[in-house]
Each structure stands twice: as structure tokens, then as C-alpha cells.
Amino acid sequence: KSLPEESHLANNDNGKMAASLDKVNDAVTLMPQEPFPRGQNLNNGMQTIDKDAFTVNQREIEAHQANLQHLCRICGGSFKNDPGKRSHPVHGPVDDEMQALLKKKERRATSWPDLLNKVFKIDVREDMDTIHPTKFCHNCWSVIQRKFSNVPCEVYFPRKGTMEWHPHSTSCDVCGTSSHGIKRKKQDPSPQGGKRLRIIAEHARKIKYARSQKQVNSKGIMKKITNCKKIHLSTKMLTVDYPVDFVKSISCQICEHILADPVETTCKHLFCRLCILKCLKIIGSYCPSCRYPCFPTDLVNPVRSFLSILNTLAVRCPVKDCHEEVTLGKYSHHLSSHKDKKE
């Protein structure tokens, strides 16, 4: 091509580009000039939604925490099921009744967290108020009491183990069952034995009951013979709640009081001297415990170490308005001082 033609084509291209740039500028001028305020409105809307969600979650957590106040920390039961609606704080000192029982048992635990850890093996020191209840029911209190006392009854605990607590969630068991306590899984009834086994068990129970009644009757007869209630101390006068086997070892096997002037038979049984002599005179020359032949000349004093242990036992004075605790060895001297005061 010649030079004039090339310059003419270049001018046409420049004209087309200028026209396209003018169209773009016109489009820009036609577009809205306030994009930022629209974004600010969106952010404000998101913030209001977040605030609403936060307030809803806060209300749910507060309601969850309020429901926890009606549940037991240990078993998960509701305080509303108790007619007296009795409850005890998880944290804090032990009440007076439990403190007296622990003192009798020679235990040093003075706070509820220590006792709960010993009985139920749970540590409540790291509990959070938003997750864990702050009280436990009177039924669990009774479990602790029976644990440290010699009450001959079955300890009832409503669950196999202690309750596990979790933070509030959409499927929260606490908020759905707070009024009745958290439900437990139903246990299948145990299968009953055959008819023959039931008959054998019933027959064995009748034989055992008849033998126990004979022993009770014979003990009752011997107690009537001795009639030493006014002169011998009861084992209930001991200041410390000793184990049952130890109490039996220091008590007469006839009157069941604390041994007074104890004597030992050839079959190694211990009795009060007055009680055994009366029984040998009236019932016959045999041991009241094992029916082994026994005569008054066979009675000997126990070993000195046993007598020293017996004399160091502390008992409460049975005299009215006297709450003094004295050792068994000094009891006769203390009792004579009361007689001197009366005279």
C-alpha cells in the first residue's frame, strides 16, 4: 500500500478508540456514585443479627443455669421431688449433724468437697456454675450419713454412678427435664428362678428364722436372770463409734453391756463375773455361748494387755446434767464423787 493510504487507516483506528473511550466514560458517569453507604448498611444489618443471636444465647445460658439450681450435683435428681425440698451446698463447711457423726467416727473431714470426694469419688473444687449444679439433694446426704454410721439398712443410691455434666447445647438434657430430674435408662427385670428353687429358698429361710428365734429367746432368758441393767454400762455410752466386732469383743456375751470385772472361760469366751456366776448357778455348768462344760473354778482373769485397753476406753457419764467423758478405769471414782456431792 502507499503511504497516504496507511495514514488514512491509522486515523480511522484512532477515531474508533476515541469513540469507545467516550462510551466508557459515559457509562461511568451513569453508574451510581455511592457504593460505600450500601456496604455500611449490610455491616450494620450483620451486627444487629449478631447482637440478637448473642442475646438469645445469653438467655438460654441463664435459663440453663437457673435449671441447674433445681438439680442435684451428684445424682441429677430434682429437689422438687423431695416433699421438704431439702438441699445442701456443694461447697462450704459440713453441717452440725454430720460434724457430730464424723467426730464420733474420729474423722477429720470438715468440708463438703472432702466428704464428696471420699464417698462418691468426685472432685467438685473445679466445678463451673454454668455447667455444674451448686447443691446436692438430701437423699445423697443420707448416703453420706449411712456411709459413716453403722445403720443396719440398705443404702439407696438412685444411679449406678455419679452424674456427668456437659455445657449447654441444642440437645440439652437439663433444660428439657429440669422439673423431674434427668431420666435414667430402665433396667430389665431379673429373671425369676424355677419353682423348685423358690421352695428350697423358702424352706431354708424358715429354718434360719426358727433357729434365730431360739437364740433370741435364750438370750432374753439369760438377760432376765442377770438383771444387770442398772449396774453395768451400755455400749451406747461409748464416746467413739467403734467397729461392731470390737464392741462385741469388749462386751459381755450374756448381758451385752461393757465388761465389768471380766473373766475368761476355758473356751476363751469373756463375761462379766456377776453374769456368768448367776447363769452357771441357774442354767447349768456349761458356757452360755458354745455349751462347753464350764465350772466357777475354771474362770480366770483375761490378759493384762486386754484389761489395759478396756480401762482406756472413754465413756459418757450417765448421771443427769453431767456431760463429762471419763475413761472406764476412772469411772468408779467419778461415780463416787457424784455420790459424795449428793450426801
Side-chain angles (χ1 to χ4, degrees):
K1 295 181 181 179
S2 61
L3 291 172
E5 290 179 359
E6 288 179 359
S7 62
H8 180 70
L9 290 172
N11 291 330
N12 288 336
D13 292 336
N14 292 330
K16 289 180 180 178
M17 287 180 66
S20 61
L21 287 173
D22 292 337
K23 289 180 180 180
V24 170
N25 291 330
D26 295 337
V28 169
T29 56
L30 290 173
M31 287 177 65
Q33 298 296 324
E34 296 178 355
F36 296 105
R38 192 175 291 180
Q40 289 178 359
N41 293 332
L42 290 173
N43 291 333
N44 293 332
M46 291 295 292
Q47 287 178 1
T48 54
I49 292 170
D50 291 340
K51 285 181 181 179
D52 293 338
F54 177 76
T55 54
V56 170
N57 292 334
Q58 189 67 20
R59 288 175 185 174
E60 289 182 357
I61 291 170
E62 290 176 358
H64 176 80
Q65 193 170 353
N67 291 331
L68 288 175
Q69 301 303 318
H70 300 288
L71 298 178
C72 174
R73 166 67 176 86
I74 301 166
C75 65
S78 176
F79 299 143
K80 297 179 182 178
N81 297 331
D82 185 8
K85 295 182 180 179
R86 295 164 294 182
S87 61
H88 306 272
V90 172
H91 304 282
V94 179
D95 56 71
D96 295 337
E97 186 177 353
M98 189 67 69
Q99 189 67 35
L101 179 62
L102 292 172
K103 185 179 178 182
K104 200 173 183 182
K105 281 287 184 179
E106 295 183 335
R107 299 296 179 96
R108 295 184 179 180
T110 57
S111 63
W112 283 121
D114 295 337
L115 284 181
L116 296 176
N117 194 13
K118 286 183 179 180
V119 178
F120 300 105
K121 307 299 180 186
I122 56 173
D123 188 8
V124 298
R125 291 183 179 88
E126 297 180 356
D127 284 3
M128 298 176 64
D129 294 344
T130 56
I131 300 176
H132 304 90
T134 57
K135 297 178 182 179
F136 63 97
C137 63
H138 190 72
N139 189 36
C140 294
W141 182 91
S142 302
V143 173
I144 300 172
Q145 186 191 32
R146 293 169 188 173
K147 180 77 174 179
F148 291 102
S149 61
N150 296 328
V151 181
C153 61
E154 183 182 357
V155 175
Y156 171 73
F157 189 63
R159 299 180 68 88
K160 289 184 178 180
T162 56
M163 186 68 191
E164 294 183 2
W165 302 96
H166 303 284
H168 177 66
S169 60
T170 54
S171 59
C172 183
D173 295 332
V174 174
C175 298
T177 58
S178 61
S179 59
H180 304 288
I182 298 176
K183 294 182 179 180
R184 306 186 303 270
K185 293 181 179 180
K186 293 183 179 180
Q187 298 179 357
D188 296 331
S190 59
Q192 297 180 353
K195 187 177 180 181
R196 185 177 179 182
L197 293 175
R198 288 199 301 270
I199 293 171
I200 293 170
E202 185 71 21
H203 184 63
R205 196 179 74 221
K206 286 181 179 179
I207 293 172
K208 187 177 179 181
Y209 178 76
R211 287 178 180 175
S212 64
Q213 286 297 110
K214 286 182 181 179
Q215 291 178 358
V216 168
N217 293 334
S218 62
K219 280 187 177 181
I221 292 168
M222 287 189 289
K223 284 182 180 180
K224 288 181 179 180
I225 291 170
T226 56
N227 193 20
C228 61
K229 187 176 181 180
K230 294 182 179 180
I231 57 176
H232 291 166
L233 286 172
S234 172
T235 54
K236 294 179 181 179
M237 304 304 295
L238 294 168
T239 57
V240 179
D241 194 2
Y242 293 108
V244 177
D245 294 334
F246 179 79
V247 175
K248 286 182 180 179
S249 66
I250 60 167
S251 59
C252 176
Q253 297 190 24
I254 296 173
C255 66
E256 297 180 350
H257 295 146
I258 299 174
L259 287 166
D261 191 10
V263 290
E264 186 179 349
T265 61
T266 52
C267 52
K268 302 295 181 182
H269 290 119
L270 293 170
F271 304 93
C272 300
R273 189 182 294 274
L274 183 64
C275 298
I276 187 65
L277 289 176
K278 283 184 179 180
C279 287
L280 291 177
K281 186 178 181 179
I282 296 173
I283 295 177
S285 298
Y286 60 85
C287 175
S289 296
C290 63
R291 304 280 175 170
Y292 189 82
C294 180
F295 300 91
T297 54
D298 297 330
L299 301 176
V300 295
N301 293 326
V303 293
R304 291 181 180 179
S305 58
F306 176 80
L307 293 175
S308 63
I309 293 171
L310 186 66
N311 290 328
T312 55
L313 296 176
V315 293
R316 287 189 300 272
C317 181
V319 179
K320 190 177 181 180
D321 297 332
C322 180
H323 304 287
E324 193 172 351
E325 297 179 1
V326 294
T327 58
L328 204 60
K330 298 179 181 179
Y331 174 74
S332 58
H333 178 71
H334 177 76
L335 198 63
S336 62
S337 66
H338 284 293
K339 292 179 181 179
D340 294 337
K341 287 180 181 179
K342 285 184 179 180
E343 292 175 358

